[in-house]
Amino acid sequence: MRGVFLQDGSVAARSSIKLKNMAKRPGHVGPKCSTSKSCEPGLVSVGALSPNIPHVLGDPSMSNLDEVGRYYLDYYNGRICKLFIVYDSDQNPFRSLISLALEDSILLKAVLALAACHKANTSCSFYQPDTLSVQSRKAKQDALYFKCRAITEISCALHDVTLQRQDATVASIFLLVFLDLLESGSDRWNFHLEGAKRLMSLFRISSQPEDGAGQDPGRTVQRIRDFIARQLYLIETLGSTFVRPKLIPQYSSSVYAISSQETVEQSFLGCPEYLLNAIQSLSLKRDAAASGVLLDQAIISNHIQDTRRILESIQNFDCYTWASSLPQTHHSPDRDIGRLCILSESYKIGALLYGERVIEAFASCTTVQDGLACELIRLIAILKDDRTLLKCALWPICIAGLECRRQDQRNFLTGCLERFWEDTSCLNVINAAKILQKYWQQADGLGGDPWQWIFAIGCLGADWLLI
């Protein structure tokens, strides 16, 4: 299914008879989710998945949901919200979307699609992901239905000037990116990303003062907007490293106009914003190296010097100071500062490796980076047994996989990916394992310079979101 385009609001579905049939599925009409055989009544009662259900799940708005909707909404609350955040808390922004979804049909469909897709994945094997149980096949059918309805309704909303500017609309598109992580990591996530970014720009315009009177969205809504904006920047920045050069237009973090402080309770992956800024700069340098334009030696030297300055700034970044100085409130759960430091260090080392390979691409030479690669693998080994933070480390794991040369290292990283799958049920990690296997076969068989992965990774079948 293609992504959402803000320019024309068009949405094109795959030529899948199954998906078309889902859109016409009897009983799934209108804002109310009607009863379906895939509901699995009696399997899980509302509240069984999550003992601390937000008050909103007892809201009168819940009366608009049937048993299917209640089941998946509770599943979202209990399983999805903590999956896509570093530390779960009562301030989890994914959970804050529930009350908004109960008032908006589009966002509700996106929320239910996420829950149903994750439910479908839970019975899959890391080595045989296409083998589904009967219950999982039913959940997958529901996920396809909810996704189709969400995208169709988003397409209509993008033709409406008022609906374009609603927070629920941009939140719905934002959730489609996470749905792609669950489905594959390659299903046009970049189009959803661009659509959400453009809608966020409308919020900036509408909030600018006009004749001295700006529009105040309110603290709760602003917190949701800041969260979405910060995660869009993270996805854009890390996602750009594993796709074809120049595929994703990159905005600086200042463009997102984020007003709140950085905190891991409001973060998908916990990568320090400082490092994200540096990684984005490195990707821009990689794009320059891949431009195909013949550069003279003076320009190449300038690019190399600029990249070395970026690497120096990364090297000087103090992970412990960052982790220990993050703002906390009385709502914040207990944090392991040492483990947060290790997580940020893994992103730091990954960024250094990425930058070194960018320099080599400009210089057309190769340097040995085994020391950095081994250090990154050591950090990943510490995170492997941390069920909270391992789910945040797919990007560093993939960088390590692209850099390692020894079979024992490759086996270890494959084991980390399998553990990641067990913790998340996101199909993009299974595809990450397949991509690395394919890359290792090519590297062992054809050889080539180690730096070539910064270009080759985007040519291995799709534009992958490996985060």
Side-chain angles (χ1 to χ4, degrees), residues 260-314:
S260 61
Q261 284 185 290
E262 181 181 22
T263 171
V264 288
E265 286 79 27
Q266 302 279 318
S267 176
F268 168 32
L269 297 178
C271 177
E273 191 169 309
Y274 183 93
L275 294 179
L276 288 176
N277 294 339
I279 292 169
Q280 185 188 68
S281 297
L282 292 174
S283 289
L284 292 173
K285 290 298 180 184
R286 178 208 58 180
D287 292 353
S291 64
V293 177
L294 185 62
L295 303 176
D296 63 38
Q297 192 57 46
I299 294 177
I300 291 175
S301 295
N302 287 336
H303 279 303
I304 291 175
Q305 290 175 13
D306 289 344
T307 307
R308 290 201 183 282
R309 280 192 287 268
I310 297 169
L311 290 181
E312 184 178 355
S313 71
I314 295 172

Side-chain angles (χ1 to χ4, degrees), residues 163-190:
L163 292 179
Q164 276 187 21
R165 296 173 182 267
Q166 288 189 357
D167 293 277
T169 303
V170 69
S172 301
I173 301 174
F174 170 69
L175 290 185
L176 291 181
V177 177
F178 289 87
L179 180 60
D180 194 61
L181 293 177
L182 289 172
E183 289 184 326
S184 67
S186 65
D187 191 17
R188 297 297 190 267
W189 59 271
N190 49 309

Side-chain angles (χ1 to χ4, degrees), residues 198-400:
R198 290 191 175 98
L199 287 182
M200 290 298 294
S201 69
L202 296 180
F203 290 148
R204 290 200 310 276
I205 294 172
S206 64
S207 62
Q208 290 176 352
E210 184 175 339
D211 297 328
Q215 297 181 16
D216 183 2
R219 186 168 60 180
T220 300
V221 171
Q222 187 59 54
R223 187 168 63 243
I224 292 175
R225 289 182 184 179
D226 284 352
F227 167 71
I228 292 176
R230 184 167 267 124
Q231 306 326 302
L232 290 176
Y233 178 61
L234 179 149
I235 293 166
E236 169 194 292
T237 301
L238 297 180
S240 295
T241 60
F242 294 142
V243 299
R244 290 165 291 160
K246 299 184 179 180
L247 178 72
I248 301 175
Q250 298 193 45
Y251 302 169
S252 69
S253 58
S254 61
V255 173
Y256 288 98
I258 300 169
S259 60
S260 61
Q261 284 185 290
E262 181 181 22
T263 171
V264 288
E265 286 79 27
Q266 302 279 318
S267 176
F268 168 32
L269 297 178
C271 177
E273 191 169 309
Y274 183 93
L275 294 179
L276 288 176
N277 294 339
I279 292 169
Q280 185 188 68
S281 297
L282 292 174
S283 289
L284 292 173
K285 290 298 180 184
R286 178 208 58 180
D287 292 353
S291 64
V293 177
L294 185 62
L295 303 176
D296 63 38
Q297 192 57 46
I299 294 177
I300 291 175
S301 295
N302 287 336
H303 279 303
I304 291 175
Q305 290 175 13
D306 289 344
T307 307
R308 290 201 183 282
R309 280 192 287 268
I310 297 169
L311 290 181
E312 184 178 355
S313 71
I314 295 172
Q315 188 66 61
N316 292 334
F317 179 73
D318 190 323
C319 293
Y320 182 80
T321 298
W322 171 81
S324 58
S325 61
L326 287 168
Q328 282 188 286
T329 69
H330 64 281
H331 298 291
S332 300
D334 292 336
R335 300 173 181 168
D336 187 328
I337 300 300
R339 290 298 177 94
L340 271 179
C341 180
I342 290 170
L343 177 65
S344 61
E345 190 76 28
S346 71
Y347 278 97
K348 175 179 175 177
I349 300 299
L352 289 173
L353 283 166
Y354 183 46
E356 290 290 351
R357 297 313 186 193
V358 171
I359 288 177
E360 292 170 17
F362 278 116
S364 297
C365 68
T366 298
T367 59
V368 176
Q369 300 296 335
D370 290 351
L372 280 178
C374 288
E375 174 62 12
L376 180 54
I377 291 173
R378 184 188 71 82
L379 295 170
I380 292 169
I382 298 173
L383 294 174
K384 183 179 180 182
D385 295 324
D386 190 318
R387 310 308 284 263
T388 298
L389 297 184
L390 179 65
K391 69 180 187 295
C392 305
L394 183 56
W395 189 84
I397 291 173
C398 289
I399 294 288

Side-chain angles (χ1 to χ4, degrees), residues 18 38 120 123 132-142:
K18 182 176 182 180
S38 61
S123 73
L132 300 177
S133 67
V134 174
Q135 292 180 352
S136 289
R137 285 197 295 271
K138 292 178 180 179
K140 185 174 183 179
Q141 190 179 37
D142 281 335

Side-chain angles (χ1 to χ4, degrees), residues 405-416:
R405 298 291 177 266
R406 295 182 353 222
Q407 189 59 47
D408 62 317
Q409 293 175 330
R410 294 172 177 179
N411 292 341
F412 168 75
L413 292 172
T414 300
C416 290

Side-chain angles (χ1 to χ4, degrees), residues 8 101-103 109 199 229 235 287 333 352 457:
D8 57 9
L102 289 173
E103 301 296 329
K109 298 297 192 307
L199 287 182
I235 293 166
D287 292 353
L352 289 173
I457 188 66

